[in-house]
Each structure stands twice: as structure tokens, then as C-alpha cells.
Amino acid sequence: MRLPTPVACRPSRDGRWKEAAPGGRTAARPRDTPTDLDYLQDQAGRKMDGVTMNLSTSSAQPSLFDEDDASVDVREPVLMSLNPIYFDLIWAGEKRHEFRRRFLTGQSVRWYVYLTAPVSRLGAVIDLGPAVVDTPQRIADIAEQARAGNGASVFEYVQDLPQAFASPIQRVVQYPGMPLDQLKVELGSFHPPQGYTRLRNHPDLLSICDKVTVDSPTREMTVHGH
């Protein structure tokens, strides 16, 4: 039986092993035929593509310090006075907006509440949604929808203005609070605000307000969902 002629291989100038044709001539592989080196290079390329893909995917993940994080509190802190009668109406579900002649627009507010006499105490926090700004009659209509008969008194309060403000009450939290005498000791002097005070402009007063909220709440309630 005649054995088949062995095929010899030898390296070419480019480092690839090529089969030697009968007679000693080297038979070059067709250009589209992969070699072992081609396979290794292809696998290496696939791994690098995988690394690049993973890096691109990870870079798309949100940052832990994303400025748009919903958990970041962007409410504007203000201090305002409130008659205890109206404060009780909130808890009774009959007061769902805070009506003002002048107020902030286009932003949510954290209202630190000073309850006037006979309570005379800084003792609550109310979260307000962005104010509805409209004509006095439209603002009075909002008041009437919440409590029958209240529209007339709100209209009388704002009728001389081109526009008035109705801020939806979202949440109310009551604390043990700080009485007027202690506020005067802590701050040197204290006068209950007639309008609203932007607390970012008064860091000492803001610090006192934050101090009040360290205690556990005595009661809390969601009014308008947000």
C-alpha cells in the first residue's frame, strides 16, 4: 500500500506557517482563509470591544450625586405667621390653600409656621406647592370650593389687587415647638413676621427653625398629594 506524501510546512516572511506544495513550493493560503493568528487577533478584538461596551454602559449609569435627584430638597424656606384658627382648619380638612396678597411664584415652599396669640409659638412646618396666580375673583373661587362661604372673605382680602396667590397645602407637620420668650432669648429679639421672610437671607433664624424640627412631630398629615 502506498502511503500519502507528507505535507511540509515552513514559515513565510510574514511569520505565518504555510503549507508546502509538492515539489517544495509553498502554497499560499487564500486571503479570506483565517489562520490561527487571525483567530487569536479576532478574539482579542472581541474582548476589547466587550471592555469598551462595558465602559460605555457604566458611564451611562446615573451619578450618586446627580443634580436632578428627586431626593434633593429644593423648597424655598420661609417664615410666616398663621392664626391658630386657620391652622385648625387645615387639620379639619377645610383649608387646603394658603391665600396671600404677595408671595413667591414658580416654586415650592417650606413654610415654617409661627402660630400667633394665644399660642405664640414657632411650632409647625407646612409644605406648599407652587402658587396659583390669578385674578382676585378666580382666587376667591378656589377658596369657595374648599369651604362654602370662604370665597367672600378671601375676595374682600385681595379685591384691590390685579392678581393674588393661592398656594396648595401639600403637607403639614406639627412639633412641640419653641415659645416666643425662648425665641427672643435665642435670637436676641424676635418679632412675628407680618408678611413672609426668606430664611436663606437670615441664617440665624433658619438655624432656629431647623432646631425646632429636630424633635419628633406631635402630628402630621398629607393634604394635597405631591
Side-chain angles (χ1 to χ4, degrees), residues 1-20:
M1 180 177 65
R2 185 177 179 180
L3 296 174
T5 304
V7 178
C9 294
R10 64 182 182 184
S12 66
R13 291 182 179 180
D14 61 3
R16 298 184 180 184
W17 290 88
K18 299 182 178 180
E19 295 178 1

Side-chain angles (χ1 to χ4, degrees), residues 52-109:
T52 303
M53 180 181 66
N54 289 338
L55 287 175
S56 299
T57 302
S58 63
S59 63
Q61 294 177 353
S63 167
L64 293 175
F65 303 98
D66 192 342
E67 292 181 357
D68 295 330
D69 188 345
S71 66
V72 176
D73 189 358
V74 294
R75 293 179 181 274
E76 179 69 21
V78 303
L79 174 66
M80 295 191 294
S81 299
L82 181 65
N83 190 306
I85 294 175
Y86 298 122
F87 187 61
D88 291 339
L89 287 176
I90 296 174
W91 294 105
E94 297 183 29
K95 177 176 171 60
R96 299 172 61 85
H97 291 79
E98 174 63 13
F99 301 100
R100 293 276 163 169
R101 292 170 59 87
R102 290 178 296 277
F103 202 53
L104 305 176
T105 59
Q107 59 185 312
S108 298
V109 169

Side-chain angles (χ1 to χ4, degrees), residues 47 66 99 121 184 191 207 213:
K47 290 182 179 180
D66 192 342
F99 301 100
R121 177 180 295 267
K184 291 180 177 180
H191 301 283
S207 178
T213 62

